[in-house]
Amino acid sequence: MAGSTYDVIIIGSGPGGGTMAWRLAQTGKRVLLLERGGYLPRERANWDSQAVFNDARYQAPETWHGADGRTFHPGLHYFVGGNSKVYGAVLLRLREKDFGEIQHPDGVSPAWPVGYDVFEPYYQAAETLYHVHGLRGEDPTEPPASGPYAYPPVSHEPRIQTLFDDLKREGHHPFHLPVGVLLDEEDGKALPHSPCIRCDAFDGYPCATNGKADSQIICVDPALQAHPNLTMWTGAYVERLITDLRGGAVTGVELTRGEERLTVSGDIVVVACGALSSALLMLRSANDAHPNGLANGSGQVGRNYMRHNNSTVLAISRTPNPTRFQKTLGLNDFYFGADDWDYPLGHIQMVGKSDGTQIKGEGLPGILQWFPDQPFDWIARHSLDFWLTSEDLPKPENRIYYDGDRVVLDLHEGNMEGHHRLRRKLSGLCDAMDLHPHLFDRKLYLGKDIPIGGTAHQAGTIRFGDDPATSVLDLTCKAHQLDNLYVTDASFFPSIGAVNPTLTIIANALRVADHIIGRLG
């Protein structure tokens, strides 16, 4: 539109927005990146488990409501880089079958309107961009790839290597997790120049050495340094999007920045605030042409919220586990089913190593019952920690919305049978891995109020599809009802599979960026 200040405005600097900004900045076009937070401070507390987990030092200080009226604090992080500042940096592709329809006991995981083949080249580019260290060929569920990983896998420390070998001996297929990390190592030790130092404060923590491949480190800061046509405003909270009278295009982005209220405009607007916050922005932007929320002619904005059925469990090793960087091993042998179950169970991966402070903060009475004479630090020295992920199904009643000024997240747990079976499978493997068979839940890692407060892996809410009656976005992630509005966080997912969603967000941002570049000319 004539007289626009910017060619593109991007709202949100996480993997969806930061990657988009990095790509579009290379075009020379005028790009404005808006981030409601500032830079996450680099401080000793970055590595302090009491501060990070027990005190939730970096979590957004917001209070939301469940549909039953109870309050909770969502596990959101408002910083340059978004939630990727504290993510575990496991960057897995959705399996090829995840793009098709999959039957579960509680319903159907719907097919995507495009196939894996559309995403594959962007997955390959995303893995290289985000320094993904991995190894093709170990995981039998791995989808086809057009090339190897650009970086070698992160090596297992001795106790995890033993775990790997034990699983192989039992006929399983453990694999090196693909991890986005700026690591140069030799013989299992970080080299002197390596930003990552293989410490025990990686998964769930901010990285004080800038060794984690997050959106700020990989995309935002390098793009700002290299391209003066890219501008970023921090502390910029977008209150609403303004449209023309007919509601066919966004004409203004209304925001507050400190004490200032501003309206900026751009030819194209990209929303990438995260599945929950992006939906809220759309709902806040209702007007006469869009009375139920911007782009909400289908009534689907805010609905079909998914967040995976996640759990983090602690097992006690019969031998000590001095591992520091524990997040190197995954197992997908039960991803699509098992010999005693025809439906998908899900994915198992290692999670960050727990310490005595975390275990004490968890308040796990079961551990004291089983090991009454052992202090928390002893339990931590013998712990092995696992993250279990099963697919959550998109249900229209699982949604985020406003009730007056209150944010309400209406969430009904479902499709849990496969997840319970996955846990039992892991428990059954414990003997072969020299572990005590009882698994203990670590709830602090996911957020203190589960399942509603655990917003890790948030997706859905603004899904894409062919039919404007049942989806919000078209196949390019442009809103069906608006000519210049795109969404590039995990809102667009029609289903979520059972692997970490971030690589798919990054790949999709690169895919949509190519489309936008074609429009910009």
Side-chain angles (χ1 to χ4, degrees), residues 108-427:
V108 171
S109 171
W112 286 45
V114 297
Y116 173 78
D117 59 319
V118 171
F119 274 80
E120 197 287 326
Y122 295 105
Y123 274 136
Q124 191 75 29
E127 288 165 347
T128 301
L129 175 60
Y130 274 74
H131 288 246
V132 180
H133 292 242
L135 183 64
R136 308 264 190 237
E138 293 180 311
D139 173 12
T141 73
E142 181 181 69
S146 52
Y149 285 104
Y151 300 90
V154 180
S155 63
H156 299 311
E157 293 180 41
R159 181 65 185 92
I160 308 304
Q161 184 64 53
T162 299
L163 182 67
F164 185 94
D165 296 340
D166 290 344
L167 286 166
K168 293 273 282 189
R169 189 186 63 245
E170 293 296 310
H172 292 287
H173 305 86
F175 62 93
H176 288 79
L177 284 174
V179 183
V181 62
L182 283 74
L183 172 66
D184 290 305
E185 62 171 342
E186 190 174 284
D187 299 326
K189 295 187 173 68
L191 293 172
H193 62 272
S194 174
C196 173
I197 59 173
R198 289 193 64 118
C199 73
D200 57 354
F202 180 85
D203 190 6
Y205 296 83
C207 180
T209 65
N210 291 338
K212 183 183 297 189
D214 62 47
S215 174
Q216 175 216 326
I217 298 301
I218 295 298
C219 289
V220 176
D221 287 356
L224 286 168
Q225 186 170 6
H227 303 288
N229 53 298
L230 173 64
T231 302
M232 180 172 68
W233 292 353
T234 56
Y237 173 66
V238 176
E239 294 189 341
R240 59 187 291 115
L241 304 178
I242 303 164
T243 71
D244 57 19
L245 287 177
R246 65 181 183 88
V250 176
T251 56
V253 176
E254 196 173 279
L255 61 97
T256 55
R257 193 179 186 210
E259 300 300 313
E260 275 191 293
R261 296 181 64 87
L262 302 165
T263 300
V264 291
S265 59
D267 291 344
I268 290 173
V269 175
V270 179
V271 174
C273 313
L276 294 168
S277 296
S278 288
L280 291 175
L281 173 57
M282 297 295 191
L283 294 172
R284 285 197 304 274
S285 301
N287 59 27
D288 289 344
H290 298 268
N292 299 314
L294 199 59
N296 198 21
S298 64
Q300 296 301 304
V301 170
R303 295 187 180 273
N304 310 299
Y305 170 60
M306 301 168 285
R307 82 281 178 257
H308 277 146
N309 290 325
N310 288 319
S311 59
T312 308
V313 296
L314 178 152
I316 301 298
S317 173
R318 293 186 173 92
T319 55
N321 175 24
T323 303
R324 294 173 62 80
F325 196 98
Q326 185 170 252
K327 203 172 184 74
T328 58
L329 183 149
L331 186 71
N332 275 337
D333 287 2
F334 310 112
Y335 194 91
F336 290 115
D339 52 7
D340 57 353
W341 183 248
D342 293 334
Y343 303 104
L345 278 70
H347 165 68
I348 299 170
Q349 65 179 243
M350 307 305 295
V351 76
K353 184 78 173 68
S354 55
D355 61 23
T357 300
Q358 289 174 34
I359 292 170
K360 182 179 180 182
E362 300 275 7
L364 301 178
I367 284 189
L368 299 180
Q369 177 185 333
W370 281 69
F371 305 97
D373 302 323
Q374 301 296 349
F376 293 118
D377 285 341
W378 180 93
I379 293 167
R381 280 197 303 274
H382 285 75
S383 74
L384 277 162
D385 309 83
F386 299 89
W387 174 284
L388 281 64
T389 298
S390 302
E391 183 156 16
D392 185 22
L393 298 178
K395 301 284 189 184
E397 61 269 25
N398 285 348
R399 64 184 186 118
I400 188 165
Y401 62 96
Y402 281 105
D403 177 12
D405 292 331
R406 299 192 320 165
V407 175
V408 179
L409 184 57
D410 192 352
L411 179 60
H412 307 272
E413 196 172 72
N415 203 41
M416 288 297 294
E417 178 62 24
H419 194 69
H420 296 322
R421 286 175 177 265
L422 183 65
R423 183 185 176 122
R424 290 199 291 272
K425 291 293 185 188
L426 177 60
S427 183

Side-chain angles (χ1 to χ4, degrees), residues 13-15 35 38 77 79-85 214-217 220:
S13 65
E35 169 54 52
H77 302 82
F79 296 105
V80 178
N83 282 330
S84 72
K85 291 305 298 179
D214 62 47
S215 174
Q216 175 216 326
I217 298 301
V220 176

